[in-house]
Amino acid sequence: MYLTICYVLENTLYINVTNRCTNRCSFCVRDKDCGIGDVNLWLEKEPTVEEMIEDIKRFNPQKYDEVVFCGYGEPTMRLDAVLACAKFIKENFDSKIRINTNGQANLFYGENVAPRFHGLIDVVSISLNAKNAEEYDELCKSIYGKESFQGLIDFAKACKKVVPEVVMSVVDVLPPEDIEACRKIAEDAGARLRVRDLIE
Ligand code: SF4
């Protein structure tokens, strides 16, 4: 059975918590592959908190620069499990913790969940992907439609109130003027823009 929970890339410990997502991005690697490198990230079942903690202990977060909750999917869809593991890590290791997200958690839960990150998550990294709602919807096909774009911006602002660092990211295939428009959106939300490589 495939159950890759923790895996390591460039001295960062990643924790794969779910394959579910509220988006269907046209560039999503899940549609093209079954993992990253030779790590299979399709989960035949989602790991329990106990299974996640056992694997986290086995890897020892202390050895890595950062611990990142990701998925081969959207980690905030398992918010309780993510925060239970983050609490365990904070109580037992001196680790910086990041969550990589599509920023739709408040839409998913119907309330502001950002305050739950306080003291547990050090960096929230939100995929911005586009400079406006129409282009985001075209690219990411959220179940929330065009509303998702303002939703993720509002989520960035809510996170900024409770976590030390909020990052919004775009891929480097966007035209420079679009990247600048995205930079303004991020800065207006109190976030730093990160221009990342497209994963082929
Ligand atoms: S938000 Fe991430 S996991 Fe979800 S569809 Fe887009 S690229 Fe894939």
Side-chain angles (χ1 to χ4, degrees), residues 19-31 71-74 101-102 104 127 129 136 139-140 196:
N19 292 152
R20 290 179 289 148
C21 188
T22 49
N23 276 355
R24 281 182 297 112
C25 300
S26 56
F27 54 85
C28 185
V29 286
R30 298 179 310 161
D31 294 336
Y72 213 40
E74 170 49 42
T101 175
N102 63 19
Q104 295 171 23
S127 300
N129 291 334
Y136 183 87
L139 197 61
C140 298
R196 66 182 198 278

Side-chain angles (χ1 to χ4, degrees), residues 112-137:
N112 181 18
V113 297
R116 297 184 63 192
F117 290 163
H118 181 68
L120 297 175
I121 305 293
D122 300 294
V123 184
V124 178
S125 180
I126 300 169
S127 300
L128 177 59
N129 291 334
K131 67 178 185 300
N132 60 40
E134 287 70 27
E135 290 175 18
Y136 183 87
D137 190 41

Side-chain angles (χ1 to χ4, degrees), residues 5-97:
I5 304 172
C6 295
Y7 61 98
V8 175
L9 291 173
E10 294 179 351
N11 212 40
T12 295
L13 181 63
Y14 289 87
I15 306 177
N16 178 29
V17 300
T18 186
N19 292 152
R20 290 179 289 148
C21 188
T22 49
N23 276 355
R24 281 182 297 112
C25 300
S26 56
F27 54 85
C28 185
V29 286
R30 298 179 310 161
D31 294 336
K32 304 183 187 83
D33 217 331
C34 56
I36 296 174
D38 56 1
V39 185
N40 189 325
L41 295 174
W42 280 117
L43 298 163
E44 287 192 5
K45 74 169 191 66
E46 291 185 338
T48 64
V49 170
E50 291 71 26
E51 288 169 331
M52 290 160 73
I53 286 177
E54 273 313 301
D55 216 35
I56 289 165
K57 283 197 283 194
R58 189 168 68 83
F59 273 79
N60 183 9
Q62 207 74 52
K63 293 195 315 199
Y64 303 97
D65 298 334
E66 198 178 15
V67 177
V68 179
F69 288 96
C70 52
Y72 213 40
E74 170 49 42
T76 62
M77 294 184 82
R78 297 202 61 209
L79 191 60
D80 288 345
V82 165
L83 295 179
C85 292
K87 185 167 184 289
F88 171 80
I89 294 167
K90 283 292 178 197
E91 286 173 351
N92 292 280
F93 306 95
D94 181 25
S95 298
K96 181 177 174 185
I97 301 179

